[in-house]
Amino acid sequence: MKFWIPWGFAAIVTGVAVYFFLVGLADGSVSSFNTGLWTAILLGTMGITIGSLLLKKSGRPGLGALLALVLALPGVLAGLFFLLFLFTQPRGN
């Protein structure tokens, strides 16, 4: 259980990155100019998610959970930040 919670958040962050990539391909905002950046983002998020799962399957669930936390912790903090803006509705001036 201590592995699946951070891994689930890491998988959600990876899914969000893939979603924005596919939407960017559809509307043309992903172009040859920023292909390298998108490649690095997608390889990094997928590498962390898949790598942590492979560590768990090889008998090292603690290391897998730590690797998943590298992606899950910033994702959770960003999600809480957006929820804070959604519910507090700060003034923009």
Side-chain angles (χ1 to χ4, degrees):
M1 188 64 157
K2 73 175 184 175
F3 170 79
W4 291 111
I5 293 173
W7 188 85
F9 282 115
I12 290 170
V13 170
T14 301
V16 168
V18 170
Y19 171 76
F20 279 114
F21 175 72
L22 294 175
V23 168
L25 280 178
D27 70 6
S29 62
V30 174
S31 62
S32 62
F33 178 73
N34 56 11
T35 302
L37 293 172
W38 275 108
T39 303
I41 290 169
L42 292 176
L43 285 177
T45 57
M46 288 181 189
I48 288 174
T49 305
I50 294 170
S52 64
L53 189 61
L54 290 175
L55 279 171
K56 183 193 182 306
K57 288 193 183 275
S58 70
R60 298 191 173 261
L63 286 177
L66 282 176
L67 183 61
L69 277 174
V70 169
L71 191 58
L73 192 59
V76 167
L77 291 176
L80 290 174
F81 183 70
F82 286 129
L83 283 176
L84 180 72
F85 271 127
L86 183 67
F87 287 120
T88 61
Q89 298 178 353
R91 294 176 52 174
N93 55 357

